[in-house]
Amino acid sequence: MQTLRDISALHAQTAAWRQQGQSIALVPTMGNLHAGHLALMAAARAQADRVLATIFVNPIQFVAGEDFADYPRTEADDRRQLAEAGVDAVFMPTVTELFPAGQSRHTRVQVPDLDNVLCGASRPGHFTGVATIVTKLLNLTQPDVALFGEKDYQQLLVIRRLCTDLALPVRIVGLPTLREADGLALSSRNAYLSASERAIAPRLYEILTALATQLAADAEILTDESLTMLEAEACKQLASAGFQPDYVAIRHADDLRVPENGADRQNLRILAAAQLGRARLIDNVPVLLKHKP
Ligand code: AMP
């Protein structure tokens, strides 16, 4: 596996692949890799001739006071795992390589409506930071396809939208969330959990799954007030379990709008964020409506 640290080495590698007529799949990450990331690498292998991973802890997607400095950086282990997964090359630039004029002077990509709700409301500027770095990585690497996890569902929608709006010639593939046996979504930030918090953490997925099951039966006939009450009830359950809930939201799966009555309720996603000790956990599940005769 090639390790590419600067833009010129990256361009030389992608140009060589292109010259040989090979297609490229891109998998952006912030490193500290786990089985969820590796599932993206495996899926990428099936999508293109070459798999290019990136590892970059992107400073502009961390809000002031967040864990940018502490975010786990495990380069040697990450490179070993990527090589074993059959990744062809990893691009791991420094912050100054990608922001030579400084972070504050860099052009930003904003995605209206999607970037300021749910996690965007609690983490102002976060999705602008994500949209900016993903646009830059797509421009730098010019992949045929790029893969992202549904674990970060709002992020996936932001990326789909920016690619459509900016007419970027890339196919975006979203992959289901990989979970521990007890349901907890794999995440680098799970390392922040103490043993007792780790025991509580799967409750997040359990509470969302129970809500999804309830909605599968009657989402189309519930009033707006009932949906709001169900969200509040799920927040209460999280609080009793020991979380500090940020939000539980029942939204349209396409664009996170608050769903109207009736047909608009046919494609829903439940999203949640909650603090547990030092870790801000996020998760989401689809609502699979039971088809009525
Ligand atoms: P990160 O390194 O956290 O920025 O994540 C890099 C990519 O891996 C993103 O597209 C994430 O959505 C995806 N990812 C993170 N955790 C999981 C998981 N548990 N299952 C599937 N994909 C994941």
Side-chain angles (χ1 to χ4, degrees), residues 165-293:
D165 288 355
L166 300 179
L168 301 186
V170 60
R171 196 158 50 82
I172 301 298
V173 172
L175 287 176
T177 303
L178 224 80
R179 299 179 180 281
E180 303 280 7
D182 61 11
L184 176 66
L186 295 185
S187 164
S188 303
R189 289 190 170 104
N190 292 349
Y192 297 157
L193 298 170
S194 69
S196 59
E197 289 159 358
R198 175 64 188 80
I200 295 168
R203 285 289 292 144
L204 175 59
Y205 178 60
E206 278 168 30
I207 290 167
L208 297 188
T209 309
L211 180 51
T213 306
Q214 197 174 347
L215 285 172
D218 54 11
E220 283 161 292
I221 52 166
L222 287 175
T223 61
D224 295 349
E225 291 72 29
S226 311
L227 286 192
T228 310
M229 272 172 52
L230 287 171
E231 292 171 345
E233 178 55 35
C235 279
K236 255 198 229 159
Q237 291 171 4
L238 283 171
S240 331
F243 293 83
Q244 286 169 272
D246 179 357
Y247 64 82
V248 175
I250 303 164
R251 295 299 175 96
H252 198 285
D254 284 348
D255 59 4
L256 304 182
R257 68 179 181 269
V258 175
E260 307 274 331
N261 272 316
D264 213 26
R265 302 265 181 83
Q266 281 168 5
N267 187 15
L268 298 178
R269 196 99 193 171
I270 309 171
L271 305 97
Q275 194 76 28
L276 184 60
R278 257 188 80 206
R280 185 175 188 278
L281 301 183
I282 58 171
D283 206 344
N284 67 88
V285 297
V287 176
L288 304 170
L289 286 187
K290 282 194 189 126
H291 286 291
K292 292 165 195 149

Side-chain angles (χ1 to χ4, degrees), residues 27-132:
V27 187
T29 80
M30 297 206 301
N32 192 234
L33 302 180
H34 52 63
H37 296 113
L38 297 178
L40 292 183
M41 305 301 161
R45 187 51 44 256
Q47 295 277 341
D49 301 316
R50 295 292 184 176
V51 178
L52 173 60
T54 67
I55 296 180
F56 182 62
V57 184
N58 171 32
I60 66 167
Q61 73 184 67
F62 288 78
V63 176
E66 288 188 344
D67 55 345
F68 173 68
D70 301 339
Y71 196 85
R73 290 160 170 89
T74 49
E75 177 185 326
D77 199 44
D78 290 349
R79 287 174 55 207
R80 182 187 54 74
Q81 292 195 63
L82 290 177
E84 281 172 16
V87 167
D88 294 286
V90 57
F91 177 51
M92 33 196 330
T94 60
V95 170
T96 37
E97 181 72 5
L98 290 197
F99 299 104
Q103 297 160 38
S104 60
R105 302 192 56 213
H106 197 282
T107 299
R108 293 294 204 271
V109 177
Q110 284 193 329
V111 181
D113 306 330
L114 275 179
D115 68 5
N116 57 4
V117 297
L118 306 182
C119 281
S122 315
R123 307 179 70 192
H126 167 69
F127 286 113
T128 297
V130 169
T132 301

